[in-house]
Protein backbone atom coordinates (compact mmCIF):
# COMPACT_ATOMS: atom_id res chain seq x y z
CA UNK A 1 0.00 0.00 0.00
CA UNK A 2 1.35 3.43 -0.98
CA UNK A 3 1.66 6.01 1.79
CA UNK A 4 0.51 9.53 0.96
CA UNK A 5 3.69 11.12 2.31
CA UNK A 6 5.72 9.07 -0.20
CA UNK A 7 3.81 10.39 -3.21
CA UNK A 8 6.54 12.61 -4.64
CA UNK A 9 6.44 13.88 -8.23
CA UNK A 10 8.89 11.18 -9.48
CA UNK A 11 6.81 8.57 -7.66
CA UNK A 12 3.60 9.85 -9.30
CA UNK A 13 5.27 9.72 -12.72
CA UNK A 14 6.21 6.12 -12.10
CA UNK A 15 2.69 5.19 -10.96
CA UNK A 16 1.05 6.73 -14.01
CA UNK A 17 3.70 5.61 -16.51
CA UNK A 18 2.27 3.75 -19.51
CA UNK A 19 4.65 1.54 -21.42
CA UNK A 20 5.29 1.94 -25.13
CA UNK A 21 3.59 1.52 -27.57
CA UNK A 22 0.39 1.93 -25.54
CA UNK A 23 1.23 5.50 -24.65
CA UNK A 24 1.47 6.43 -28.33
CA UNK A 25 -1.75 4.56 -29.14
CA UNK A 26 -3.67 6.40 -26.41
CA UNK A 27 -2.28 9.74 -27.55
CA UNK A 28 -3.22 9.00 -31.17
CA UNK A 29 -6.81 8.08 -30.19
CA UNK A 30 -7.09 11.34 -28.26
CA UNK A 31 -5.60 13.13 -31.25
CA UNK A 32 -8.30 11.78 -33.57
CA UNK A 33 -11.06 12.78 -31.13
CA UNK A 34 -9.66 16.32 -31.02
CA UNK A 35 -8.85 16.57 -34.72
CA UNK A 36 -12.40 15.84 -35.91
CA UNK A 37 -14.11 18.88 -34.29
CA UNK A 38 -11.10 21.12 -35.06
CA UNK A 39 -11.27 20.03 -38.70
CA UNK A 40 -15.00 20.76 -38.88
CA UNK A 41 -14.36 24.28 -37.57
CA UNK A 42 -11.48 24.83 -40.01
CA UNK A 43 -13.48 23.36 -42.89
CA UNK A 44 -16.38 25.76 -42.33
CA UNK A 45 -14.19 28.84 -41.81
CA UNK A 46 -11.30 28.44 -44.27
CA UNK A 47 -11.61 29.23 -47.95
CA UNK A 48 -12.34 26.18 -50.12
CA UNK A 49 -9.80 25.79 -52.91
CA UNK A 50 -12.00 23.35 -54.86
CA UNK A 51 -9.14 21.02 -55.68
CA UNK A 52 -9.97 17.75 -57.41
CA UNK A 53 -11.24 14.97 -55.13
CA UNK A 54 -11.22 17.42 -52.19
CA UNK A 55 -7.45 17.11 -51.87
CA UNK A 56 -7.28 20.50 -50.11
CA UNK A 57 -9.59 19.24 -47.36
CA UNK A 58 -7.61 16.00 -47.04
CA UNK A 59 -4.37 17.97 -46.66
CA UNK A 60 -6.06 20.23 -44.10
CA UNK A 61 -7.18 17.22 -42.04
CA UNK A 62 -3.72 15.62 -42.15
CA UNK A 63 -2.07 18.92 -41.22
CA UNK A 64 -4.32 19.35 -38.18
CA UNK A 65 -3.74 15.71 -37.21
CA UNK A 66 0.05 16.12 -37.37
CA UNK A 67 0.08 19.41 -35.44
CA UNK A 68 -2.09 18.08 -32.61
CA UNK A 69 -0.06 14.86 -32.50
CA UNK A 70 3.18 16.82 -32.10
CA UNK A 71 1.66 18.94 -29.32
CA UNK A 72 0.32 15.93 -27.45
CA UNK A 73 3.61 14.05 -27.77
CA UNK A 74 5.53 17.09 -26.51
CA UNK A 75 3.23 17.10 -23.47
CA UNK A 76 3.07 13.30 -23.26
CA UNK A 77 3.48 12.98 -19.50
CA UNK A 78 0.86 15.61 -18.63
CA UNK A 79 -1.47 14.32 -21.35
CA UNK A 80 -1.37 10.71 -20.15
CA UNK A 81 -1.82 11.62 -16.49
CA UNK A 82 -4.78 13.86 -17.40
CA UNK A 83 -6.36 11.06 -19.45
CA UNK A 84 -5.96 8.55 -16.62
CA UNK A 85 -7.47 10.90 -14.04
CA UNK A 86 -10.35 11.72 -16.41
CA UNK A 87 -11.05 8.04 -17.02
CA UNK A 88 -11.10 7.46 -13.26
CA UNK A 89 -13.67 10.27 -12.87
CA UNK A 90 -15.80 8.82 -15.67
CA UNK A 91 -15.62 5.36 -14.10
CA UNK A 92 -16.72 6.80 -10.76
CA UNK A 93 -19.53 8.68 -12.50
CA UNK A 94 -20.68 5.54 -14.31
CA UNK A 95 -20.73 3.46 -11.13
CA UNK A 96 -22.51 6.17 -9.13
CA UNK A 97 -25.12 6.82 -11.82
CA UNK A 98 -23.83 10.33 -12.54
CA UNK A 99 -22.01 11.62 -15.63
CA UNK A 100 -20.13 8.61 -17.06
CA UNK A 101 -18.88 6.92 -20.22
CA UNK A 102 -22.33 6.65 -21.84
CA UNK A 103 -23.02 10.34 -21.25
CA UNK A 104 -19.75 11.52 -22.74
CA UNK A 105 -20.23 9.23 -25.74
CA UNK A 106 -23.70 10.66 -26.40
CA UNK A 107 -22.55 14.25 -25.86
CA UNK A 108 -19.60 13.83 -28.23
CA UNK A 109 -21.75 12.17 -30.88
CA UNK A 110 -24.49 14.81 -30.66
CA UNK A 111 -21.90 17.59 -30.74
CA UNK A 112 -20.35 16.17 -33.92
CA UNK A 113 -23.76 15.86 -35.55
CA UNK A 114 -24.69 19.43 -34.70
CA UNK A 115 -21.33 20.84 -35.77
CA UNK A 116 -21.74 19.24 -39.20
CA UNK A 117 -25.08 21.02 -39.67
CA UNK A 118 -24.06 24.36 -38.15
CA UNK A 119 -22.47 27.09 -40.32
CA UNK A 120 -20.56 28.32 -37.25
CA UNK A 121 -19.53 25.11 -35.46
CA UNK A 122 -17.04 26.93 -33.22
CA UNK A 123 -20.00 28.57 -31.45
CA UNK A 124 -21.07 25.14 -30.16
CA UNK A 125 -17.65 24.53 -28.60
CA UNK A 126 -17.57 28.03 -27.12
CA UNK A 127 -21.06 27.66 -25.61
CA UNK A 128 -20.04 24.40 -23.92
CA UNK A 129 -16.86 25.95 -22.51
CA UNK A 130 -18.53 29.12 -21.27
CA UNK A 131 -19.11 28.95 -17.51
CA UNK A 132 -22.69 29.27 -16.26
CA UNK A 133 -22.80 32.19 -13.77
CA UNK A 134 -23.33 31.24 -10.11
CA UNK A 135 -23.83 27.61 -11.13
CA UNK A 136 -23.27 26.00 -7.71
CA UNK A 137 -25.42 28.60 -5.92
CA UNK A 138 -28.24 28.14 -8.42
CA UNK A 139 -28.16 24.34 -8.13
CA UNK A 140 -28.37 24.63 -4.33
CA UNK A 141 -31.21 27.16 -4.62
CA UNK A 142 -33.37 24.82 -6.75
CA UNK A 143 -34.96 23.09 -3.76
CA UNK A 144 -37.31 20.86 -5.71
CA UNK A 145 -37.45 18.27 -2.89
CA UNK A 146 -38.52 20.82 -0.29
CA UNK A 147 -42.14 20.19 0.88
CA UNK A 148 -42.97 23.90 0.59
CA UNK A 149 -42.02 23.90 -3.09
CA UNK A 150 -44.01 20.75 -3.73
CA UNK A 151 -47.04 22.15 -1.87
CA UNK A 152 -46.96 25.34 -3.93
CA UNK A 153 -46.75 23.31 -7.14
CA UNK A 154 -49.77 21.22 -6.12
CA UNK A 155 -51.72 24.34 -5.19
CA UNK A 156 -50.95 25.91 -8.58
CA UNK A 157 -52.04 22.75 -10.39
CA UNK A 158 -55.31 22.45 -8.43
CA UNK A 159 -56.04 26.12 -9.05
CA UNK A 160 -55.14 26.44 -12.74
CA UNK A 161 -55.22 22.97 -14.27
CA UNK A 162 -57.57 22.44 -17.19
CA UNK A 163 -58.37 18.83 -17.93
CA UNK A 164 -57.95 17.97 -21.58
CA UNK A 165 -58.97 14.61 -22.97
CA UNK A 166 -56.75 12.60 -25.26
CA UNK A 167 -53.42 14.09 -24.22
CA UNK A 168 -52.34 11.82 -21.36
CA UNK A 169 -48.78 11.63 -22.71
CA UNK A 170 -48.44 15.36 -22.05
CA UNK A 171 -50.05 15.41 -18.63
CA UNK A 172 -46.89 16.51 -16.80
CA UNK A 173 -46.27 19.30 -19.30
CA UNK A 174 -49.89 20.48 -18.98
CA UNK A 175 -49.49 20.49 -15.19
CA UNK A 176 -46.26 22.44 -15.62
CA UNK A 177 -48.15 25.06 -17.61
CA UNK A 178 -50.54 25.45 -14.67
CA UNK A 179 -47.53 26.18 -12.45
CA UNK A 180 -46.20 28.61 -15.07
CA UNK A 181 -49.53 30.45 -15.05
CA UNK A 182 -49.58 30.78 -11.27
CA UNK A 183 -46.01 32.09 -11.03
CA UNK A 184 -46.07 34.43 -14.02
CA UNK A 185 -49.50 35.85 -13.19
CA UNK A 186 -48.31 36.89 -9.74
CA UNK A 187 -44.60 37.59 -10.20
CA UNK A 188 -43.21 41.01 -9.32
CA UNK A 189 -39.78 41.95 -10.62
CA UNK A 190 -37.47 43.29 -7.90
CA UNK A 191 -33.82 44.10 -8.63
CA UNK A 192 -30.86 42.79 -6.65
CA UNK A 193 -28.90 45.10 -4.34
CA UNK A 194 -26.69 47.41 -6.37
CA UNK A 195 -23.37 45.78 -7.20
CA UNK A 196 -24.39 42.43 -5.73
CA UNK A 197 -25.84 39.37 -7.48
CA UNK A 198 -28.28 37.96 -4.91
CA UNK A 199 -29.39 34.35 -5.48
CA UNK A 200 -32.63 33.57 -3.62
CA UNK A 201 -33.58 29.99 -2.82
CA UNK A 202 -36.87 28.72 -4.19
CA UNK A 203 -38.50 28.66 -0.74
CA UNK A 204 -37.46 32.27 -0.20
CA UNK A 205 -39.07 33.43 -3.46
CA UNK A 206 -42.29 31.60 -2.51
CA UNK A 207 -43.00 34.09 0.27
CA UNK A 208 -43.71 37.08 -1.96
CA UNK A 209 -43.35 35.72 -5.53
CA UNK A 210 -40.85 38.50 -6.16
CA UNK A 211 -37.26 38.85 -7.31
CA UNK A 212 -35.18 39.23 -10.43
CA UNK A 213 -34.79 36.93 -13.44
CA UNK A 214 -32.60 34.32 -11.75
CA UNK A 215 -34.91 34.14 -8.73
CA UNK A 216 -37.90 33.60 -11.04
CA UNK A 217 -36.01 30.96 -13.02
CA UNK A 218 -34.94 29.08 -9.89
CA UNK A 219 -38.50 28.99 -8.55
CA UNK A 220 -39.93 27.87 -11.91
CA UNK A 221 -37.37 25.08 -12.26
CA UNK A 222 -37.87 23.92 -8.65
CA UNK A 223 -41.67 23.77 -8.88
CA UNK A 224 -41.84 22.02 -12.24
CA UNK A 225 -39.05 19.61 -11.36
CA UNK A 226 -40.93 18.75 -8.15
CA UNK A 227 -43.73 17.22 -10.27
CA UNK A 228 -41.41 15.39 -12.67
CA UNK A 229 -40.86 17.96 -15.41
CA UNK A 230 -37.52 18.42 -17.16
CA UNK A 231 -36.16 21.96 -17.08
CA UNK A 232 -33.10 23.93 -18.00
CA UNK A 233 -31.83 27.46 -17.44
CA UNK A 234 -30.52 29.58 -20.29
CA UNK A 235 -27.82 32.17 -19.69
CA UNK A 236 -27.72 35.08 -22.13
CA UNK A 237 -26.34 38.61 -21.94
CA UNK A 238 -27.41 40.00 -18.57
CA UNK A 239 -30.31 37.59 -18.25
CA UNK A 240 -31.27 34.05 -17.15
CA UNK A 241 -34.56 32.39 -18.02
CA UNK A 242 -36.14 28.90 -17.77
CA UNK A 243 -37.13 26.51 -20.54
CA UNK A 244 -39.15 23.28 -20.35
CA UNK A 245 -38.36 20.15 -22.32
CA UNK A 246 -41.09 19.39 -24.86
CA UNK A 247 -39.72 16.55 -26.98
CA UNK A 248 -39.51 16.43 -30.77
CA UNK A 249 -41.23 18.37 -33.56
CA UNK A 250 -44.31 16.17 -33.41
CA UNK A 251 -44.62 16.85 -29.69
CA UNK A 252 -44.22 20.57 -30.35
CA UNK A 253 -47.12 20.53 -32.81
CA UNK A 254 -49.40 18.96 -30.21
CA UNK A 255 -48.23 21.24 -27.41
CA UNK A 256 -48.71 24.25 -29.67
CA UNK A 257 -52.30 23.14 -30.31
CA UNK A 258 -52.95 22.57 -26.60
CA UNK A 259 -51.64 26.02 -25.69
CA UNK A 260 -53.61 27.89 -28.35
CA UNK A 261 -56.80 25.81 -28.26
CA UNK A 262 -57.27 25.06 -24.56
CA UNK A 263 -54.80 26.60 -22.11
CA UNK A 264 -53.84 30.11 -23.28
CA UNK A 265 -56.12 30.88 -26.25
CA UNK A 266 -56.37 34.62 -25.58
CA UNK A 267 -52.75 35.24 -24.63
CA UNK A 268 -51.35 33.26 -27.59
CA UNK A 269 -53.92 34.28 -30.20
CA UNK A 270 -52.19 34.80 -33.59
CA UNK A 271 -48.79 34.72 -31.86
CA UNK A 272 -45.86 32.37 -32.53
CA UNK A 273 -44.42 29.82 -30.11
CA UNK A 274 -40.79 30.54 -29.23
CA UNK A 275 -38.42 27.65 -28.51
CA UNK A 276 -34.87 26.36 -28.92
CA UNK A 277 -33.62 23.11 -30.45
CA UNK A 278 -30.51 21.74 -28.73
CA UNK A 279 -27.64 19.72 -30.21
CA UNK A 280 -29.62 16.49 -29.76
CA UNK A 281 -32.64 17.79 -31.63
CA UNK A 282 -34.68 18.20 -28.43
CA UNK A 283 -37.11 21.11 -28.22
CA UNK A 284 -37.22 23.48 -25.23
CA UNK A 285 -40.04 25.97 -24.73
CA UNK A 286 -39.53 29.45 -23.30
CA UNK A 287 -41.02 30.06 -19.80
CA UNK A 288 -39.50 33.48 -19.08
CA UNK A 289 -41.16 35.82 -16.56
CA UNK A 290 -42.00 38.22 -19.41
CA UNK A 291 -44.00 35.56 -21.30
CA UNK A 292 -47.78 35.68 -21.04
CA UNK A 293 -48.07 32.13 -22.35
CA UNK A 294 -45.67 29.15 -22.59
CA UNK A 295 -43.47 29.85 -25.58
CA UNK A 296 -43.88 33.61 -25.37
CA UNK A 297 -41.29 35.96 -26.93
CA UNK A 298 -37.66 35.79 -25.82
CA UNK A 299 -36.06 38.79 -24.17
CA UNK A 300 -32.82 37.65 -25.78
CA UNK A 301 -32.63 34.60 -28.02
CA UNK A 302 -28.84 34.20 -27.93
CA UNK A 303 -27.57 31.31 -25.76
CA UNK A 304 -24.29 31.76 -23.89
CA UNK A 305 -24.78 28.76 -21.61
CA UNK A 306 -27.34 26.17 -20.53
CA UNK A 307 -27.83 24.39 -17.21
CA UNK A 308 -30.07 21.33 -17.43
CA UNK A 309 -32.07 19.84 -14.54
CA UNK A 310 -33.27 16.40 -15.69
Amino acid sequence: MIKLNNLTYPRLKEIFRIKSPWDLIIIFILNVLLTIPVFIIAHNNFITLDWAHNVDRIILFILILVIIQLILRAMRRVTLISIILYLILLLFGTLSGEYGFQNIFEDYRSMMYTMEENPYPQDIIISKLMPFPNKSKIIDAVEYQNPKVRDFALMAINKNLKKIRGYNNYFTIIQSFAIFKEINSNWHYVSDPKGHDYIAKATESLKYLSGDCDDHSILMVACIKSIGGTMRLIHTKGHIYPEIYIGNERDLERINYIIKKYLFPTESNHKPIHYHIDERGSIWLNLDYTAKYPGGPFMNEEILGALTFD
Side-chain angles (χ1 to χ4, degrees):
M1 187 173 179
I2 301 173
K3 295 182 180 179
L4 293 177
N5 56 2
N6 291 331
L7 287 179
T8 60
Y9 179 70
R11 179 61 176 155
L12 283 173
K13 288 201 302 182
E14 179 63 26
I15 293 173
F16 289 107
R17 187 172 70 87
I18 299 176
K19 295 181 179 180
S20 185
W22 293 108
D23 56 343
L24 297 178
I25 294 174
I26 293 173
I27 286 176
F28 182 75
I29 293 173
L30 177 62
N31 182 11
V32 173
L33 294 174
L34 293 174
T35 297
I36 293 174
V38 172
F39 170 74
I40 294 174
I41 293 173
H43 171 69
N44 284 31
N45 287 275
F46 289 179
I47 297 175
T48 302
L49 300 178
D50 293 325
W51 290 358
H53 307 293
N54 295 317
V55 173
D56 59 326
R57 300 292 104 172
I58 295 174
I59 294 175
L60 178 62
F61 182 86
I62 294 175
L63 182 62
I64 294 172
L65 188 73
V66 171
I67 292 174
I68 295 179
Q69 181 73 9
L70 292 174
I71 294 173
L72 293 177
R73 288 196 63 176
M75 303 173 59
R76 182 186 311 182
R77 186 71 62 183
V78 174
T79 301
L80 292 173
I81 291 176
S82 300
I83 292 173
I84 292 172
L85 292 175
Y86 189 60
L87 290 175
I88 292 173
L89 289 175
L90 287 177
L91 178 61
F92 177 78
T94 300
L95 296 176
S96 62
E98 301 295 332
Y99 193 87
F101 290 104
Q102 181 66 27
N103 302 97
I104 194 172
F105 171 76
E106 292 178 354
D107 285 346
Y108 184 86
R109 183 177 60 179
S110 62
M111 184 181 70
M112 290 300 98
Y113 175 81
T114 307
M115 288 181 71
E116 290 175 359
E117 303 294 327
N118 197 303
Y120 306 104
Q122 63 273 14
D123 292 346
I124 298 172
I125 301 293
I126 293 172
S127 66
K128 288 183 177 293
L129 295 177
M130 288 289 287
F132 199 95
N134 299 311
K135 180 178 179 179
S136 59
K137 290 182 179 179
I138 288 176
I139 292 175
D140 291 339
V142 178
E143 306 167 296
Y144 68 95
Q145 292 183 317
N146 190 294
K148 293 181 181 179
V149 172
R150 170 80 175 180
D151 288 347
F152 177 86
L154 296 180
M155 179 277 295
I157 292 171
N158 289 331
K159 178 179 177 182
N160 301 299
L161 181 65
K162 293 183 179 179
K163 295 182 179 180
I164 307 172
R165 294 182 179 179
Y167 293 95
N168 292 335
N169 292 339
Y170 303 102
F171 193 58
T172 299
I173 295 177
I174 293 172
Q175 289 181 327
S176 299
F177 290 165
I179 294 173
F180 163 86
K181 184 173 184 179
E182 183 66 23
I183 294 176
N184 278 28
S185 297
N186 298 283
W187 187 261
H188 300 283
Y189 187 91
V190 178
S191 300
D192 285 340
K194 190 173 183 179
H196 179 68
D197 196 6
Y198 184 81
I199 305 296
K201 292 183 178 293
T203 49
E204 185 177 350
S205 297
L206 280 178
K207 296 178 181 178
Y208 302 106
L209 290 179
S210 302
D212 66 355
C213 59
D214 50 60
D215 301 327
H216 168 272
S217 299
I218 288 169
L219 179 60
M220 188 74 73
V221 169
C223 290
I224 293 179
K225 187 169 172 56
S226 75
I227 64 163
T230 300
M231 296 288 292
R232 73 174 185 175
L233 294 181
I234 297 299
H235 166 228
T236 186
K237 291 181 180 179
H239 186 52
I240 292 177
Y241 62 91
E243 291 185 330
I244 185 171
Y245 171 72
I246 296 300
N248 55 33
E249 292 185 3
R250 185 180 180 184
D251 297 319
L252 178 63
E253 291 178 1
R254 295 180 178 179
I255 291 299
N256 182 33
Y257 180 77
I258 292 172
I259 290 172
K260 294 188 174 183
K261 177 67 176 180
Y262 298 107
L263 301 181
F264 298 86
T266 302
E267 298 89 340
S268 64
N269 186 33
H270 300 298
K271 296 177 181 178
I273 296 294
H274 297 79
Y275 58 91
H276 284 122
I277 302 177
D278 67 15
E279 64 272 13
R280 300 183 183 182
S282 301
I283 294 175
W284 300 81
L285 203 64
N286 178 35
L287 297 184
D288 204 348
Y289 77 91
T290 57
K292 302 300 181 182
Y293 59 94
F298 292 110
M299 281 187 64
N300 192 327
E301 194 168 351
E302 180 184 15
I303 296 179
L304 297 180
L307 180 59
T308 304
F309 297 81
D310 50 14

